[in-house]
């Protein structure tokens, strides 16, 4: 009896269980189930054939992430062409665009959808709009993590939006203010959160867009100080920003980029011009 009591006491004294979660972001570049020539697609776009889709499926399996923030994916049907629907559930923004942000969430992880960050779409009536943000909350080991998948305005990768006269920079700056407001709301609510996706922005140095976001709350940018090895190397424009308790959950050294083995330029269209970027969180 004493031995049993001692074992029970030791079990009670053990720290609460932790759960490592692999969190990723991947712009899969016009992943759609629509046929060539569909009016919702660019005239020059040729949707992928089965060979390219099979390659993407193999990379999704190799990625083996628990949660993937997706961009440029045309909803659940298109996502299921790459991610096994028996393994993952899906959520996408409530809009008709082909290039929608969303998530693939490993089945077994509890999650709920939150309203889209609709303010990000500055041109909702345009043929190719500027895309909403997909917003979900996942629960890991009893801890909630709020996630926002974004695909921000292209065309202002380097310029200082405050000084540039270009429309793309003005629109990116406005989107950054909307994301900052979302971040500020998470801080006020005391939530652990992450903003991840295709920011179309190199945030190296004293970047004004990152400064706008980090003024809303302290942020950990997982890609800080690294170059992206995807397609022969460049600065990151796909980022994972962690805030609230999620900053402490980040496992140092866990940043990974899944680089494609196919190096011929033609594969940038068959696969994607973006590689999956991931980190590991130790949710405590």
């Amino acid at each position: 009896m004493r031995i049993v009591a001692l074992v029970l006491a030791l079990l009670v004294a053990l720290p609460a269980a932790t759960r490592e979660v692999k969190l990723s972001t991947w712009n899969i570049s016009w992943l759609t189930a629509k046929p060539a020539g569909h009016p919702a697609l660019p005239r020059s776009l040729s949707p992928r054939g089965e060979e390219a889709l099979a390659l993407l499926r193999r990379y999704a399996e190799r990625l083996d992430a628990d949660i993937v923030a997706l961009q440029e994916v045309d909803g659940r049907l298109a996502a299921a062409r790459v991610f096994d629907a028996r393994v993952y559930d899906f959520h996408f923004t409530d809009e008709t665009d082909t290039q929608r942000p969303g998530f693939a969430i490993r089945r077994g992880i509890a999650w709920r959808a939150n309203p889209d960050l609709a303010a990000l779409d500055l041109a909702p009536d345009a043929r190719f709009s500027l895309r909403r943000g997909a917003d979900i909350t996942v629960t890991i080991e009893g801890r909630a993590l709020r996630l926002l998948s974004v695909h921000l305005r292209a065309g202002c990768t380097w310029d200082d939006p405050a000084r540039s006269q270009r429309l793309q920079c003005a629109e990116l700056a406005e989107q950054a203010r909307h994301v900052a407001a979302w971040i500020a709301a998470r801080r006020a609510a005391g939530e652990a959160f992450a903003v991840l996706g295709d920011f179309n922005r190199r945030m190296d140095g004293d970047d004004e867009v990152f400064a706008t976001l980090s003024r809303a709350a302290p942020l950990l940018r997982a890609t800080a100080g690294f170059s992206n090895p995807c397609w022969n190397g460049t600065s990151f424009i796909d980022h994972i920003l962690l805030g609230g308790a999620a900053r402490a959950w980040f496992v140092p050294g866990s940043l990974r980029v899944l680089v494609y083995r196919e190096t011929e330029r033609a594969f940038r269209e068959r696969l994607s011009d973006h590689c999956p970027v991931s980190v590991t969180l130790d949710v405590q």
Side-chain angles (χ1 to χ4, degrees):
M1 291 295 292
R2 290 180 179 178
I3 294 175
V4 172
L6 178 60
V7 170
L8 289 174
L10 288 172
L11 288 174
V12 170
L14 289 174
T18 61
R19 166 77 183 270
E20 286 199 344
V21 177
K22 188 174 182 180
L23 184 63
S24 184
T25 182
W26 191 7
N27 180 329
I28 312 186
S29 185
W30 291 105
L31 179 64
T32 181
K34 294 182 173 70
H38 191 283
L41 303 179
R43 295 181 182 88
S44 60
L45 182 70
S46 298
R48 295 172 179 84
E50 182 52 41
E51 182 180 354
L53 290 170
L55 272 176
L56 286 170
R57 284 194 291 272
R58 287 199 287 274
Y59 281 111
E61 290 172 1
R62 284 185 58 199
L63 179 62
D64 194 29
D66 296 298
I67 305 163
V68 187
L70 299 169
Q71 299 86 44
E72 296 199 29
V73 177
D74 191 12
R76 292 171 175 265
L77 182 60
R81 290 183 145 199
V82 172
F83 292 89
D84 188 341
R86 296 168 298 181
V87 177
Y88 291 94
D89 200 359
F90 305 108
H91 170 72
F92 288 92
T93 52
D94 185 17
E95 54 190 332
T96 59
D97 286 37
T98 302
Q99 289 191 330
R100 284 189 278 169
F103 289 94
I105 309 113
R106 188 182 298 279
R107 292 186 181 275
I109 295 177
W111 68 279
R112 69 175 187 270
N114 302 308
D116 294 345
L117 184 56
L120 276 185
D121 190 352
L122 307 179
D125 298 324
R127 181 167 180 247
F128 301 119
S129 79
L130 294 183
R131 298 167 294 262
R132 299 180 175 195
D135 185 342
I136 65 172
T137 300
V138 299
T139 302
I140 309 292
E141 295 294 336
R143 302 296 298 272
L145 174 63
R146 188 84 173 255
L147 301 172
L148 183 68
S149 174
V150 301
H151 184 186
L152 301 186
R153 181 68 160 99
C156 189
T157 306
W158 278 117
D159 297 11
D160 182 345
R163 298 181 180 182
S164 176
Q165 300 300 311
R166 302 172 67 216
L167 174 63
Q168 295 96 321
C169 289
E171 290 179 332
L172 178 65
E174 185 174 352
Q175 287 184 320
R177 289 191 288 272
H178 289 303
V179 175
W182 185 92
I183 289 172
R186 307 287 72 77
R187 183 182 192 181
E191 295 175 305
F193 65 91
V195 184
L196 60 171
D198 181 359
F199 288 74
N200 271 310
R201 182 75 181 179
R202 297 174 178 176
M203 293 183 177
D204 307 308
D206 298 325
D207 179 63
E208 182 55 36
V209 171
F210 183 67
T212 297
L213 303 180
S214 57
R215 280 192 289 268
L219 298 172
L220 186 156
R221 179 168 67 91
T223 51
F226 295 94
S227 295
N228 189 349
C230 187
W231 296 115
N232 299 318
T234 183
S235 296
F236 279 97
I237 63 171
D238 302 288
H239 300 282
I240 299 175
L241 311 181
L242 304 173
R247 290 181 298 151
W249 297 346
F250 174 67
V251 176
S254 66
L255 177 69
R256 296 288 185 273
V257 179
L258 180 55
V259 178
Y260 306 118
R261 293 175 177 173
E262 296 75 18
T263 57
E264 296 86 347
R265 186 170 182 81
F267 280 99
R268 285 176 67 105
E269 293 184 5
R270 295 181 198 172
L271 295 170
S272 175
D273 54 344
H274 298 253
C275 297
V277 178
S278 63
V279 298
T280 300
L281 303 183
D282 186 2
V283 181
Q284 304 178 41

